[in-house]
Amino acid sequence: MTETLSCDVLVVGGGPGGIAAATRAAEAGSDVLLVDEGGSLGGQIWRHAAHGPSEALAWLERLRRSKTRVETGACVVVRRVDGPFLAERDGKPVLVEAGKAILATGARERFLPFPGWTLPGVLGVGGAQALLKAGASFRGKRVVIAGSGPLLLPVAASLSRGGARIEAVAEQASGTNVAGFGLGLWRRPAKVSQAIRYRASFPRARYRTGTWVAAAHGSTQIESVTLCDGGRTWTAQCDVLACAYGLVPNVELPRSLGCAVANGFVRVDAEQRTDVPSVWAVGEPTGIGGVEKSLIEGEIAGLSATNREISGALQRRLASENDFAKRLATAFALRSALRSLATPQTTLCRCEDVALGRIDARWTRRQAKLYTRAGMGACQGRICGSALEFLFGGDPDHERPPVKPVSLSTLETLG
Amino acid sequence: MVTLRVDEKEVEVDAGSTVAAALWNAGQKSLRRSVTGEPRGALCAMGVCFECRVRIDGIDHRRACVEVVRDGMEVETR
């Protein structure tokens, strides 16, 4: 017999957005089930939330008191048409019958191809942070941090505290953009003083704006990188390169349920309702904006799903966060020079080892997949798909569930 | 501390670490060979990219970055 769970409200994803949504819905008296793929709640941003910031601890305590049921280590991969959701846990299927669903699936990092990007020792920026928090030691390692976005500074700071030697921090956005973004934070003094503290924790290295990694070099693992500022290029020796270009929303599950996606983000109304009845979406999938935006949207969705009134104060706070999200996107917009880093020989699809030169820029994503296998591997195009979107534009292929690889016996459950 | 076997070699790590962190601390950044034989290691470290796939206790394609170490775990890289 397949394990079957049922609830009034299913919340998928246990980061800040999912935690806030589940809490609010359960506080309103609904039977809420919160399912997360990871081993513990918190998502990527509140990884190991039990040891996280006080805001995370307060939300976890409130979630606990709300009587939300929590299932960790379970990944929701598909929904039978108008029927139950199917998840997999420890290789076994779990069916979830839910009247309503709130999707809080978070985001991943954007990786762009450049020569050498497949060498071991090349990690994401959040990836390096995640590995550090998972127990990896960076003591004595020479690290270059590159890419784009506000994550570069805190990751440089925490790796430096962990004993790494930060060789360079290279932000692709221009100095003007970054300074303008910093000035725009005057209404958020806590964020400014945080940034100053981060910067002070790696005094040896320069934080270079308008600078990016043109190539990584090494035989069996990374040994050095070529940095470029548009005019000059130079080499830095390193043991680790942490490089990612902002975040990509995880819209695979919402799309597979039929939720409309516009400009890469799930379309929602003022109460976070998607175009699919009884399905809400919150957090990064509706627009990259960080923890506060996710928490507020989670609260709104939790209230909406339980027919509670949404206060004007909550909506005003969301408007302010959306404004922040817009400034974030503008300040850290990716420069077009990043489109010409990869050569025709550079690997694009890392799962299937497809070189960029084999892809015709006019192809749809589906054609690329059928003709070359790009995007057909285990990551299901999550890495090369968002790279192709930046390089050539165009829409992603239709979502083909399950949204993560599962065993055939799990899929059989839908039969 | 937890002890696991990685390709015939014993590795000790803090309990609660992931397999990817254990291998990293043992100096092993390359975790698998790609379909054309290139060395590959963890990229996203969040369970998305599947670059860190290893064999754990006889089961292929386990993501080293999401699997938490257990005493006596057998890990094989290629």
Side-chain angles (χ1 to χ4, degrees), chain B residues 9 12-13 16 21 26-27 36 56:
Chain B
K9 169 177 84 182
E12 245 195 7
V13 277
T36 61
I56 297 178

Side-chain angles (χ1 to χ4, degrees), chain B residues 5-64:
Chain B
R5 284 187 78 76
V6 179
D7 301 331
E8 312 296 305
K9 169 177 84 182
E10 297 220 325
V11 171
E12 245 195 7
V13 277
D14 287 333
S17 301
T18 61
V19 172
L23 288 158
W24 178 272
N25 291 351
Q28 192 168 343
K29 285 187 189 141
S30 173
L31 302 179
R32 70 174 189 110
R33 292 277 164 180
S34 73
V35 294
T36 61
E38 294 177 8
R40 294 286 169 80
L43 173 71
C44 77
M46 298 176 191
V48 177
C49 74
F50 288 75
E51 280 285 34
C52 65
R53 276 171 282 162
V54 293
R55 171 183 271 214
I56 297 178
D57 293 334
I59 302 174
D60 280 324
H61 304 301
R62 308 302 296 176
R63 288 167 292 172

Side-chain angles (χ1 to χ4, degrees), chain A residues 10-13 75-79 85 101-108 248-262 264-268 272-287 297 382 396-404:
Chain A
L10 167 67
V11 179
V12 183
C75 183
V76 175
V77 293
V78 58
R79 181 186 198 177
F85 290 80
I102 301 176
L103 310 178
T105 45
R108 57 180 178 264
V248 182
N250 293 327
V251 296
E252 290 76 13
L253 184 66
R255 288 184 70 222
S256 83
L257 299 189
C259 301
V261 172
F265 297 104
V266 179
R267 199 163 67 193
V268 289
Q272 304 301 130
R273 283 182 290 237
T274 69
D275 289 357
V276 176
S278 304
V279 177
W280 287 254
V282 305
E284 310 293 36
T286 72
E297 290 188 349
R382 281 176 170 80
D397 195 3
H398 288 290
E399 207 54 56
R400 297 265 309 261
V403 298
K404 284 258 171 124

Side-chain angles (χ1 to χ4, degrees), chain A residues 88-322:
Chain A
E88 188 175 68
R89 187 182 52 201
D90 296 330
K92 302 246 164 30
V94 181
L95 285 171
V96 183
E97 286 164 350
K100 295 166 182 173
I102 301 176
L103 310 178
T105 45
R108 57 180 178 264
E109 293 191 275
R110 177 183 284 107
F111 296 99
L112 298 179
F114 52 86
W117 76 303
T118 55
L119 285 169
V122 179
L123 295 164
V125 175
Q129 172 101 310
L131 200 60
L132 175 77
K133 288 190 181 180
S137 168
F138 284 76
R139 188 157 300 281
K141 293 223 182 329
R142 298 165 302 171
V143 181
V144 171
I145 295 168
S148 198
L151 198 57
L152 269 54
L153 275 182
V155 172
S158 62
L159 291 177
S160 176
R161 279 196 304 272
R165 288 171 45 191
I166 308 299
E167 297 294 324
V169 181
E171 163 62 58
Q172 62 84 36
S174 70
T176 318
N177 276 18
V178 174
F181 178 74
L183 288 176
L185 291 176
W186 64 273
R187 273 203 258 207
R188 297 160 186 263
K191 280 206 164 82
V192 176
S193 60
Q194 200 180 37
I196 292 168
R197 276 202 312 281
Y198 289 149
R199 180 64 190 92
S201 60
F202 58 101
R204 260 189 72 238
R206 273 185 66 183
Y207 175 70
R208 292 176 187 273
T209 52
T211 304
W212 57 93
V213 170
H217 315 281
S219 49
T220 56
Q221 60 181 52
I222 189 168
E223 290 159 20
S224 66
V225 293
T226 301
L227 291 156
C228 174
D229 66 4
R232 219 162 55 88
T233 62
W234 66 99
T235 302
Q237 306 294 313
C238 62
D239 307 303
V240 178
L241 166 64
C243 181
Y245 293 91
L247 301 177
V248 182
N250 293 327
V251 296
E252 290 76 13
L253 184 66
R255 288 184 70 222
S256 83
L257 299 189
C259 301
V261 172
N263 301 318
F265 297 104
V266 179
R267 199 163 67 193
V268 289
D269 68 8
E271 294 194 6
Q272 304 301 130
R273 283 182 290 237
T274 69
D275 289 357
V276 176
S278 304
V279 177
W280 287 254
V282 305
E284 310 293 36
T286 72
I288 302 298
V291 171
E292 292 309 317
K293 171 179 170 290
S294 299
L295 284 170
I296 299 166
E297 290 188 349
E299 288 200 60
I300 291 174
L303 292 166
S304 173
T306 49
N307 302 313
R308 292 297 188 278
E309 199 185 327
I310 292 149
S311 72
L314 212 46
Q315 277 161 344
R316 279 191 297 279
R317 281 171 56 209
L318 180 57
S320 155
E321 292 304 325
N322 282 334

